[in-house]
Amino acid sequence: MHSASRALLTACATQTSVAPAMRAISDAMGASLIYLCRFANQRPYIFAPPDERASAFLANKAPPMSQLHVLLEPGKSGFSHTLHADWLRQARRDPFYNEFMRPNDMTQRYATPVLNISNAPLALNIIRDPRLRPYDDAELAEFATVIPHLQAAVLVAQEFTRLRAQAQAAPYERRGEAVFRLDYDGRVIGMNAEAEQALSGPVRLVNGRLTSASPLDQKRVDQAISRAIRHLRPTMERIDDGQGAARYLLVAMPVDGDARDIFCSASAVVALVDTARRLDLSDALLCGLRSAFGATQREAEVAALIATGLNVEGVAARLQIGLGTVRTHLKTAMHKMNVRSQTELAALIARLS
């Protein structure tokens, strides 16, 4: 038990998979499954090692889980369980219990708080085969020794995610761009001073979410943020400055990491690039692109201008070359720089600049 829980903390500290350690803890407990759950915004957030039942739940192949299944009692430490007669009377009228827990042998469940995250308790849940005897107090007391390791593992995972978000944001912040940090639900959980100023310009904050000053841009803003958070795909969208000019480039970048939803960590970084700023085509930047990636002078110029937010037509006008030539240079530059999208190209050049 103790070696398995220490292995969990080690996996978090080394940023390797925690699934083997969680399975080892589950085996040491004689459980069929253990998972972490946080119930917030009227919905559960689950983190579990690979398991058919957990996968079915996460894929929304089960009825919605109600507050009844949180199990935790306010102000109480230690384990609560589903074996109380009062709880069972309520559960027998509950679709989640009848259509998911009972058919999947999940009716013997234990839960204990780990820590509070954004005013919602994160709980360790233990599923035991209902054909086996219930755990006794001594066993539950031993299981509780895992909690300090879980607390440390969560804090380590949160810190690594924070550092990844900081690294994503740093190139844009150094250039004085507005940067927002978003959680898994797309709510803003942090911003820099430039972002606060941008709230009176191209974007607004409504119920904690980014909205465009131009309603016509809102669908694209939502899609960009969703692609970054849910599909881990960086995305760029041009948006209105609030006065009718498509002046800003919204860059939505995913922040990878385990359990971004349940740990309430930064799941995406959104930068607003002001394309009206002076374009930086410094000799140092162009030289760096040539030496690091083997780009030609013209390929480096095209890539740098695209990264500042200009479209193909704008680059052609700036460099006084044809549209086809710009596209050819851009395609070659992206291949040499090993990026698959203009969003990745912008992020790469932002780091170099």
Side-chain angles (χ1 to χ4, degrees):
M1 179 84 68
H2 296 293
S3 61
S5 58
R6 285 194 296 269
L8 176 68
L9 181 56
T10 300
C12 286
T14 57
Q15 301 186 68
T16 54
S17 174
V18 301
M22 290 190 70
R23 280 195 293 266
I25 293 172
S26 179
D27 292 343
M29 290 178 170
S32 59
L33 173 68
I34 66 170
Y35 62 92
L36 295 173
C37 179
R38 184 173 67 90
F39 202 93
N41 304 318
Q42 301 301 310
R43 59 165 291 188
Y45 297 84
I46 304 289
F47 179 63
D51 177 90
E52 288 184 5
R53 292 163 297 179
S55 299
F57 176 78
L58 294 173
N60 295 318
K61 295 180 180 179
M65 180 190 287
S66 67
Q67 188 78 32
L68 172 69
H69 296 276
V70 175
L71 283 185
L72 304 182
E73 301 175 26
K76 178 185 175 182
S77 59
F79 282 92
S80 301
H81 55 76
T82 58
L83 305 179
H84 287 301
D86 288 345
W87 190 91
L88 286 170
R89 274 195 295 272
Q90 298 179 69
R92 289 190 179 107
R93 299 189 298 270
D94 183 82
F96 184 80
Y97 179 83
N98 289 305
E99 298 175 30
F100 188 73
M101 291 183 67
R102 291 182 67 181
N104 287 288
D105 292 331
M106 299 176 73
T107 54
Q108 187 180 172
R109 182 164 65 93
Y110 302 78
T112 187
V114 176
L115 46 74
N116 274 331
I117 298 177
S118 296
N119 299 317
L122 174 70
L124 169 65
N125 286 256
I126 304 172
I127 303 293
R128 183 167 170 84
D129 191 321
R131 292 164 293 192
L132 300 177
R133 64 166 181 81
Y135 292 124
D136 59 33
D137 290 342
E139 289 171 315
L140 293 176
E142 183 184 0
F143 298 165
T145 62
V146 172
I147 301 304
H149 292 94
L150 281 174
Q151 292 170 336
V154 171
L155 295 174
V156 168
Q158 286 179 320
E159 178 62 12
F160 274 121
T161 305
R162 186 191 68 80
L163 292 173
R164 282 192 286 269
Q166 181 177 304
Q168 290 274 42
Y172 295 93
E173 291 186 318
R174 284 197 297 268
R175 285 169 28 175
E177 309 289 4
V179 174
F180 300 86
R181 293 183 300 281
L182 278 58
D183 68 11
Y184 191 78
D185 291 320
R187 290 183 171 86
V188 174
I189 57 175
M191 68 183 83
N192 61 6
E194 290 79 6
E196 292 180 4
Q197 295 174 4
L199 294 178
S200 59
V203 292
R204 304 286 187 271
L205 203 57
V206 178
N207 296 325
R209 300 178 186 276
L210 278 179
T211 61
S212 173
S214 170
L216 297 176
D217 290 334
Q218 189 58 47
K219 183 177 180 180
R220 290 186 291 109
V221 169
D222 290 340
Q223 288 175 339
I225 291 173
S226 177
R227 281 194 289 267
I229 293 176
R230 308 287 173 161
H231 305 291
L232 299 178
R233 287 172 49 196
T235 307
M236 280 195 306
E237 292 287 352
R238 190 174 289 274
I239 64 172
D240 197 291
D241 63 359
Q243 298 179 356
R247 167 180 164 181
Y248 286 90
L249 198 66
L250 183 143
V251 184
M253 299 163 284
V255 180
D256 200 5
D258 280 337
R260 299 173 305 151
D261 53 353
I262 190 171
F263 294 163
C264 203
S265 304
S267 295
V269 169
V270 171
L272 288 178
V273 178
D274 185 351
T275 61
R277 287 187 175 185
R278 183 181 64 83
L279 303 179
D280 181 12
L281 288 184
S282 67
D283 290 339
L285 172 61
L286 298 178
C287 180
L289 294 175
R290 294 197 307 271
S291 60
F293 303 105
T296 65
Q297 175 70 14
R298 192 60 95 187
E299 289 165 356
E301 290 172 346
V302 168
L305 288 170
I306 289 289
T308 64
L310 285 182
N311 56 20
V312 171
E313 291 77 8
V315 173
R318 170 70 184 265
L319 298 179
Q320 297 184 338
I321 56 179
L323 295 177
T325 304
V326 172
R327 293 190 180 97
T328 299
H329 287 319
L330 177 60
K331 181 178 179 180
T332 305
M334 290 174 62
H335 176 73
K336 290 180 178 179
M337 297 175 193
N338 195 29
V339 294
R340 293 169 296 178
S341 68
Q342 292 183 22
T343 309
E344 292 180 1
L345 177 67
L348 172 66
I349 292 179
R351 287 195 294 271
L352 291 174
S353 63

